[in-house]
Structures are given as structure tokens and as C-alpha cells.
Amino acid sequence: MLPFYLFTLFATVQAQIQHLPGSCSFESSTCGYTSDPNFLSWTLNKDGSFISVDPGLEDQDGQEDRSEGEERSEGEGRAVLLGPSMEQEDWSCLRLVYQLSGSGFLQVQQRREGESFDRALWSTQTASDSWLISSIDLQNSTEPYRIAIDGRPGENKGSSVAIFEIRINPGYCLECDYEESHLCGYRNQWNTNVNWYRGGGAARDTQSNIPYVHTQHSGAGHYMYVDSVYAKTFQEVAKLVSAMTTVPMSGCLSFQYQRGEERGNLFSVYTRDQAGQYQELWRADPEDQNLNDWTATTLEWIPVQVDIKAPFPLQVVFEVTFNSPRGGHVALDDIAFSPEFCSAETEPTFDPSIANCDFEVGFCHYTQDQMEGSPWKRVSVKPNIYRTGDHTTGAGSFLLAHSRLSPRAGYISRLLGPPLPGNMKYCLRFHYSLRGFQQTDQALTVYLQDQSGITQDRIWTQNDKSRGVWIATDITFQSPQAAKVVFVSTCTNFWDCGSVALDDISVSLGDCDLTAGLLLSVPGHCNFEMGHCGYIQDKEGDMGDWVLVRGPTPTSYTGPKGDHTTGVGYYMHIEASNMLPGQNARLLSSPLRGSSGPQCLRFFYQMYGSGTGELSIHLRQDGKDVLLWKHTGEQSITWLKATVEYQSDQQHQVVFEAIRGSSIRSDIAIDDIVFESGPCPDIEVKMTHSPGNSNDIE
């Protein structure tokens, strides 16, 4: 097999290939790329034509100063390479040739003016002893931005992060004419007997039965081909696989192919998602054969167009199966992609957000079947110390089944969602909370109901018995025909009729396991499920610590029963039993860039306990703190949403400070912190009453 990713081959650049601003081979300069002065510096190695960063003396000193088991801070051992300002109205593809030696981390980010956080485009922690290539889609943008490359070599001796070349070409990363030796990130999936090779070129054998390239229709161009001459077993398979796209892809995929000996091979095209699941897009028809001998003078390439509807990252797989050594050949060239579907008659990708609802302004597109019993009721609970409010804000609305005792038993509450088209994979997410003291074996079940309303399939049943906690649930499902999601709560008798609450329903396309990564990639978003997100303790300005925990706090009648994100995940809190009255704990964000416009901070907090002290938010810059927000005393047993708008035109940090109250029932917790550029879109609910005795359902 011909090696696809050779260091020397990648250095050979075709003169006719167009490279956009931001491209750099680092042969004699950094092409406008500079090191962020707030971190370590990248070093240009002129002899080897690459730029690299490794643990310097500064990082080694920091390692010696840290106590055993203490993690490296956010900025320690980190180097950020900033590219020149770019503004591209059309899609483009960034190809990065890189190497991680030993251990380390490499991430490509997009930095926009006015935003305190960089948006992650791609990352890796895969170490290698050779150069690797990544393909990163850059969406069209009318606003200028810069590429930021974040390199963090590991602490092990010999660890380093290096970049050999950055190429930015117009078009999508899926597109390829195979004129460049990197093959646009396409790779052959190795098979002992049959494999894809790059063919063509100026040195083409005139006696060869391999076709002329489609791009130039001459021997000077290149294409990919596979033949059966070495096939030894029945159904030998050769696969040519694109790089995984870094953004969702929906549109028209087109390519040119040639195929001989139609009875001896099968040519198909698939998409493959991040979970490794295949979906067939197209299969060559035996009637499409236009030749049995590739030396024929009437040789022509066959064009193909096929629609892709994938609201998630994917790979395209070109697969050829041979039945014998006489299975013929397949050639491939000029892969292209358009965001417009191939045919104007193609239905647009369905928008599943029609099924989203937080019940703040009604039932959205949900309806009820009231023929069989008690309806779901839309209710709200004022912040109080007895009953849990909604999940969205802590003071908003949600749905409640069996909220009143009924004089009769044996009824159900059915909530029907809007119809969803068939033959598509969906991810359903929602939060539920069990209420009351009765048994709740049938508190909540989710079904798929067909268009007739007669047939329904159960896709989920509630098993968790936790009360007073909003539990997050996600369900991946697919139906061969249009169907509705139905939430059902059953009341068998007085002792088996516990009430259940429902809130924040959302539906997206694709597998839940795949879309979860997209949800967690929001810049400036931290739900503490993967750690501290760069937040650190203020070692000099406080006398206590914020602690990362899950589940209820150890002291009764204070603190949350679970986190806000999922109900069973992690959050940060101060444990009052380990502190004295008046002692404080300060949690500092990583350094944030300043901007000329407003910034919005959103987070959830829980201040429950008779001795609760104070929670405040400060803006820290130039060594001084400015108070932005403060709440004192017991607020509610539920998680409450807070929004804080501020402005800073210089580097700064945001500080979460909690002060322990008069008793051990003074735990304070925070979760789901989000920073966004621009003014806050919503206004925080103002509390104008004492929460102590409020237990009203409105």
C-alpha cells in the first residue's frame, strides 16, 4: 500500500492549488502567527521548518512548587498561537499537520472580537511518533476572527507539541480532487489484499488500463482507484474514508466514478457517525456500467449526486466489494459538496425544535388526551424552603400530574407531543421530578404513538425513586413512520398515585450520545461534570474552599439533594460544617479577555438552610474587586437562576465568594455557569417576599 501521510510528500505543493490567508509552512517565518503573551511561547525551528512548544524551565519550576497530587493550573504549561485576522464569506477547510510527542493536548479554536472565550473547533490528545493531519471545517463568516492554536505539552520528559504546516483552502473538507498528496484527509482502511491507491500523474504508463483523471482529462492529474487483482477470498472489501467533519453536514454530495466488470464488484457510499453507525447513501446500479475494458476509447466518467441529511459530524465512506481477482476496477475523482440539496424537490431537513418546551408561556405544541382521566396541570411554585420549583429558573412554570387527590382511582394523564416524521433518529431530553409520599412505580412512562393513535411502543420507564430532585433523562429513538411522543402517568389507587413533575423537554436529530458532545462544547459553559473547568481556589483571599461534590451534602436541612444539570451529577459548594461563622471561600475563574461591549454571566445557585450566609459575585481586575451581585440569607430549597451583566475592557476574572452563616446549616452551592457575549437576554426574577413560609402553587 502507498503511504498516505508522508512528511516529505506533504511538503510538495501543487502550484495551482489556492491557499487562503492564514496558511503557513513555517519554513522561514510564522506568517503573521504570534504567541499570546499571557502564556508560554511557541518556538520556530528553522532547520526543521516547524513550530513547537515543550515544557520550559518556567513549567518545571511550577511542577516543583506544587504539592503532591495537586493539578496543574489552567495557564501553566500552556502556549497559544494566534493567527492573523481573517474574514471569509465562503466555507473553507483548515488542514493542520501536527505531532504530539510523549503526552499533551492540542486544540484549534476560533477567537472573535468581543468574546471572552475562544470557541473550540477541534482537539486531540493522541500522541504519535510521526506527523498527523487533521481537517477542520471553517464556516463562512462576515465577522473577522483569528485562529488560536492551544498547545499543552505533558509534564513527562520529552513531551512536546509541534506544528509543521497550516493550510486553508476554499471549500468543504469533504471535497477533494486528489491533486495534493495529503488526499484531503481521506485514508485507506487497510486490507491485506485490496486497497485504494492514488493514481495518475505525469508519469502515467501509456499502456495502463487505469483511466485518465476526470479533473483534467489527461495523464497529469490524479484520482483514487482500487482493483481486484489481488483479491483472494469472496467479498474482499476496500474502504476509502474521509476525515470526520467538525460540523453537521446537510446538502448535496457529488462525485465522478468509473467501474468495470459489473458482475464482479459492488460499489456503495455510506455515512458513518461518531458512534461508528453506517447509513447507506447510494449504491451503483449494474446498468450504470459504461465499459468492461478501461482502455476503450469511449471511456467516460459517471457523475453522481446524492443528498446528505446529517445534523451531526460524519465521515463519508466509499466502499468496494470484490468477489474474485477478476472483479474489475473502480476509480473515484472530484468529490464536491454543496449546502443546497441536489434537487429542489428534496424536503428540507426537519426542525425538531417544534417539540421543545419549557412551559413558561403555555403548553407549546403539546396537547392532552383527557378522555381517560386527570389532565396534566401547568403550575408554578414561588421560591420557598419546602417545595421544589421548576427546573428552568427555579421560579417558573412546569407540568404536574396528579397534583390533586381524585375521588376515584384508575386513571392516567397523557401528554402528546407534535408529530415527528418517520425514518429519522431523534434524541429526546427532559427533566422529571417525583413528588408526594405515595408509591411511584408508574409515575412516568414515555411511548411512541403512531398516526392512527392505536399502536404505541414504550421507549422509557421511570426507575429512579429520588424525590424533590430534577432528574435529566435522554432517549434515542427511531420510528419507521410518523409518530408522537406521549408522556403517561398512571394512578392505580390512592397508595400508588404519587405525583410527577415534567419540565424542559427538547428534541434534536441524531443519537443522544453524539449530540451530548455538542452541548458540552459551548465556550464559557461549565457544569462541573468533567472537572473544575479552570476554576481555582483563591489561596490568599479566603479561609475556606469550594468543594466539587455530587449527591446531597452531609448536613441535613441545608444544601441541595443533587446538582442542577442532571440531578445526579457534580456541583461546587461550601461545606459549612468545616468552616467557622464569617469565614469565606472564593472561587476564581480563569483569566478572561476584555471587550468593549457587555458580557452576560448566567449561573444557578442554591442557598437553603436556616443559617445561610452570603453569596456574592465580584469582578476582579488590576488586583481589585468590584461587587456585581449579592444575595444574603436563606433563599429557596430549589436551584435558582441568576443573571449578571457586566462590562470590562481588560483582562479580568470573575469571583464567586461564599460566606459561612451563623450555623452549620449554611451550605451554599453553584452549578451550570455560562458566559456569553452581549447583554443578558432575560431578566432575573426579583424576590419581593420572604421565602420562609411560601408554599403556594399558582
Side-chain angles (χ1 to χ4, degrees), residues 529-558:
E529 297 305 311
M530 303 299 292
H532 294 82
C533 310
Y535 287 88
I536 59 173
Q537 309 286 343
D538 187 347
K539 298 180 181 180
E540 299 179 356
D542 64 4
M543 303 180 68
D545 286 332
W546 287 87
V547 184
L548 181 67
V549 296
R550 68 188 304 179
T553 58
T555 308
S556 59
Y557 301 104
T558 187

Side-chain angles (χ1 to χ4, degrees), residues 222-268:
H222 295 86
Y223 52 84
M224 297 300 295
Y225 77 96
V226 57
D227 63 59
S228 62
V229 65
Y230 294 112
K232 298 183 182 300
T233 62
F234 183 69
Q235 291 189 340
E236 294 269 19
V237 179
K239 293 183 180 181
L240 182 67
V241 185
S242 74
M244 181 71 69
T245 65
T246 54
V247 294
M249 303 296 291
S250 291
C252 180
L253 177 72
S254 62
F255 58 91
Q256 302 277 340
Y257 82 97
Q258 292 184 359
R259 174 170 167 247
E261 299 295 340
E262 66 274 13
R263 291 177 296 275
N265 64 68
L266 180 65
F267 182 31
S268 305

Side-chain angles (χ1 to χ4, degrees), residues 276-325:
Q277 298 175 341
Y278 284 78
Q279 181 177 354
E280 186 176 79
L281 290 179
W282 172 87
R283 178 178 296 187
D285 191 317
E287 300 300 323
D288 286 341
Q289 303 300 318
N290 64 348
L291 59 122
N292 288 320
D293 180 5
W294 281 7
T295 61
T297 58
T298 58
L299 177 65
E300 291 185 1
W301 289 82
I302 301 175
V304 175
Q305 289 186 329
V306 58
D307 286 326
I308 294 179
K309 291 185 177 181
F312 44 78
L314 55 81
Q315 292 173 297
V316 174
V317 182
F318 294 90
E319 179 180 289
V320 178
T321 303
F322 295 110
N323 291 332
S324 71

